[in-house]
Amino acid sequence: MSIKPDDHTTGSSELEKVSEPIADPGLPAHTWRPTDVDERLAKRAERQVAGLFGLSAVFTILFFVSYFAFKVGDNWNVSGGLGSSTVALGLTLGLALLCIGIGIIQWARKLMADHEIVEMRHPARSSDEDREVTVAALNTGLEESGIGRRPLIRNSLFGAIGVVALAPVVLLRDLGPTPSQVEDEEEGKGLEHTIWKANVRVVRDVVGTPIRAADLQVGDLVNAVPDGLFDLEGVDLQVQKAKAPVIVVRMEPDEITPGRGREDWSVEGIVCYSKICSHVGCPISLYERTTHHVLCPCHQSTFDLADSARVVFGPAARPLPQLPLAVDAEGFLVAQSDFTEPVGPSYWGRGA
């Protein structure tokens, strides 16, 4: 139907048909919930919600207990091939979050304000007036939620969320060795030590065969690990694999510029450095034999292996740690000691 501007015969009813082709059906009569008309039922619902929040806190505490009570890797087949630690941690933390979720749903269904709101469409950009109305609506929703009038729900909710928020703090313990492990040099634990020590053979990575000094040619680069690494299992193996790998490079002896006190750390032009980049810990082995530079593929930090792995380019703040080498009676490469400085990226308490 078209309406001409000069069509004075068109009535207001026809204009309404154009703007509102479908009649507004209106809203059905509001049905009050039992908790809206019976304060006794409302109090019972309040206790239910608070109980769910309290139960969440209990499950979170059980999560903490499980974390310290069950060792990772123990009891492999507790449930469907999953270990006791995995089952206990997942079940307790999952139930803690589930109880909070169910409690909030129960709170919204039975106790929060229950009336219909109709809002017409508006332009994409909100005006200042709309923003003020939105803030007022949020304040109204906060008031109608009853959180101010129901301290039992408010305090139990905050308590449950606060206890659950501590769970990630406990899990941070798994991101690395704890300070108490730092002094355990014999086991190669902590951030300060690896399982390298005097007379440990340098063996090829993966295959585990020892490296004879006479077999290396000038320009060779070998990815290596300490002998005995693959005798470890589980978490201990993964921790040492993250710290102990090295690269062994042979160059002409007169091309090496040894650092102070490192004059006897190489063997016939063979030097050994940590494979873990000192920037953010990426494994490196991209070697340019003519310049003796090794490149980290992650952020292009470049180290000069002929000059104590000095940083020549990129964001790394310090050279690669060098492993002092020697040869045993059979001519195989061995370590003189552990690294004299921590391997890996810089961290708190370590100077650049």
Side-chain angles (χ1 to χ4, degrees):
M1 177 180 180
S2 62
I3 304 298
K4 296 181 180 179
D6 57 350
D7 189 353
H8 300 289
T9 62
T10 303
S12 60
S13 61
E14 292 180 345
L15 290 174
E16 291 175 359
K17 291 180 180 179
V18 173
S19 60
E20 296 289 343
I22 301 176
D24 186 354
L27 295 173
H30 181 73
T31 301
W32 294 101
R33 302 168 302 183
T35 52
D36 293 330
V37 296
D38 190 336
E39 184 61 24
R40 181 179 57 84
L41 295 179
K43 288 293 184 181
R44 186 177 69 176
E46 182 178 358
R47 290 192 296 270
Q48 290 173 350
V49 174
L52 286 166
F53 292 156
L55 192 59
S56 171
V58 171
F59 282 127
T60 305
I61 293 173
L62 290 177
F63 171 85
F64 298 147
V65 173
S66 301
Y67 182 85
F68 293 102
F70 298 105
K71 294 183 179 180
V72 176
D74 288 352
N75 303 324
W76 296 101
N77 298 309
V78 171
S79 177
L82 300 177
S84 56
S85 176
T86 302
V87 173
L89 294 178
L91 189 62
T92 53
L93 186 57
L95 289 173
L97 296 175
L98 180 64
C99 286
I100 290 179
I102 295 176
I104 291 175
I105 293 173
Q106 185 79 339
W107 181 11
R109 290 181 66 251
K110 292 191 174 183
L111 295 174
M112 290 186 182
D114 179 40
H115 60 271
E116 295 78 7
I117 298 176
V118 177
E119 181 180 4
M120 301 302 292
R121 292 178 179 264
H122 54 77
R125 183 190 180 281
S126 299
S127 63
D128 293 338
E129 292 78 6
D130 289 338
R131 295 177 182 179
E132 293 177 0
V133 171
T134 300
V135 172
L138 291 174
N139 291 332
T140 301
L142 183 62
E143 180 180 353
E144 293 181 345
S145 68
I147 193 170
R149 295 181 289 104
R150 303 186 185 277
L152 180 60
I153 287 181
R154 181 187 66 238
N155 297 337
S156 59
L157 172 63
F158 291 161
I161 293 177
V163 176
V164 167
L166 294 176
V169 177
V170 175
L171 295 177
L172 289 175
R173 182 176 182 271
D174 288 334
L175 292 181
T178 60
S180 62
Q181 294 174 315
V182 171
E183 301 301 328
D184 196 348
E185 183 175 1
E186 292 300 323
E187 297 297 330
K189 295 182 179 180
L191 296 170
E192 305 290 336
H193 307 292
T194 71
I195 58 174
W196 287 107
K197 56 185 178 181
N199 300 318
V200 171
R201 281 184 172 178
V202 183
V203 301
R204 297 178 187 272
D205 196 6
V206 181
V207 294
T209 56
I211 302 173
R212 192 182 300 274
D215 293 339
L216 294 179
Q217 303 295 319
V218 173
D220 284 349
L221 181 145
V222 178
N223 293 291
V225 294
D227 188 22
L229 175 68
F230 297 110
D231 295 334
L232 302 176
E233 296 180 350
V235 175
D236 289 338
L237 174 61
Q238 299 305 319
V239 169
Q240 295 305 325
K241 279 286 286 184
K243 299 189 299 180
V246 294
I247 51 175
V248 179
V249 175
R250 184 162 196 170
M251 60 188 74
E252 295 294 347
D254 58 1
E255 295 178 333
I256 298 176
T257 304
R260 180 179 299 178
R262 301 185 178 186
E263 291 79 6
D264 62 343
W265 283 22
S266 61
V267 176
E268 300 175 3
I270 302 173
V271 291
C272 182
Y273 294 95
S274 171
K275 185 182 174 68
I276 309 303
C277 181
S278 57
H279 178 218
V280 293
C282 296
I284 59 176
S285 60
L286 300 177
Y287 181 55
E288 188 180 54
R289 61 180 297 177
T290 56
T291 60
H292 307 306
H293 291 174
V294 66
L295 173 72
C296 175
C298 293
H299 305 97
Q300 287 70 58
S301 293
T302 307
F303 307 88
D304 186 357
L305 301 187
D307 188 11
S308 300
R310 176 177 56 88
V311 180
V312 296
F313 179 80
R318 63 191 185 93
L320 296 174
Q322 184 174 359
L323 184 73
L325 290 180
V327 291
D328 60 15
E330 299 179 52
F332 292 109
L333 293 176
V334 296
Q336 295 185 31
S337 65
D338 193 3
F339 291 101
T340 58
E341 59 181 310
V343 302
S346 299
Y347 64 97
W348 60 267
R350 173 198 288 170

